Amino acid sequence: MGTIKLKNIRVYAYHGCLVEEGKIGSDYRVDLSVKADLSKSAQTDDLADTVDYVHLNLIVKQEMAIRSKLLEQVAKRILDRILIEIPIVKLAKVEVSKINPPIGGNVAMVTIEMLKKRKDL
């Protein structure tokens, strides 16, 4: 088993419960970690035998582009797509952070973290 991580994926998106957030948008950070059996790709040196991190990045960008009120909804969609589209992945963890959230204080970011395992484990 091995781990592939994508750190600090920067996205501009329009999530939030406030109407203004849907119009103005905000900066977001996404961190992603997936666990998979990487032993075959380590032997074959073939992209088809591993988790393509370009595919992971594309999933994140596409799901972040769909407006949601809650970051939990965005994270769930990201996790669901990873497990559906990349069969080698056994477990995925995503952190979605809103940079400078409008919460009436000096807060650098707010982060939600979610984890999902493949059901057939």
Side-chain angles (χ1 to χ4, degrees):
M1 192 68 67
T3 304
I4 294 176
K5 297 178 181 182
L6 279 73
K7 295 182 179 182
N8 201 18
I9 303 168
R10 304 291 284 205
V11 181
Y12 196 85
Y14 299 87
H15 308 300
C17 294
L18 302 175
V19 174
E20 295 80 20
E21 292 175 298
K23 293 178 181 175
I24 299 169
S26 185
D27 289 310
Y28 291 84
R29 171 185 170 158
V30 179
D31 296 290
L32 185 62
S33 174
V34 299
K35 293 198 177 285
D37 183 353
L38 303 178
S39 60
K40 184 176 180 183
S41 60
Q43 292 296 319
T44 66
D45 197 29
D46 189 344
L47 181 59
D49 294 331
T50 192
V51 179
D52 184 352
Y53 48 81
V54 173
H55 189 174
L56 292 172
N57 189 52
L58 179 66
I59 289 171
V60 168
K61 288 185 174 186
Q62 288 175 343
E63 293 305 323
M64 288 296 291
I66 301 168
R67 177 163 160 66
S68 293
K69 292 178 186 172
L70 302 178
L71 298 181
E72 292 89 330
Q73 175 66 29
V74 181
K76 179 190 179 307
R77 291 195 316 262
I78 291 169
L79 293 172
D80 288 347
R81 278 196 56 195
I82 290 169
L83 293 178
I84 289 167
E85 295 178 22
I86 309 173
I88 191 175
V89 172
K90 302 300 181 198
L91 179 136
K93 179 178 87 170
V94 65
E95 296 177 37
V96 181
S97 302
K98 182 180 280 193
I99 310 296
N100 298 318
I103 59 174
N106 187 10
V107 178
M109 74 176 84
V110 61
T111 302
I112 64 98
E113 178 180 313
M114 292 177 68
L115 177 80
K116 190 167 185 179
K117 291 182 180 181
R118 188 167 298 286
K119 292 187 187 225
D120 58 9
L121 290 178

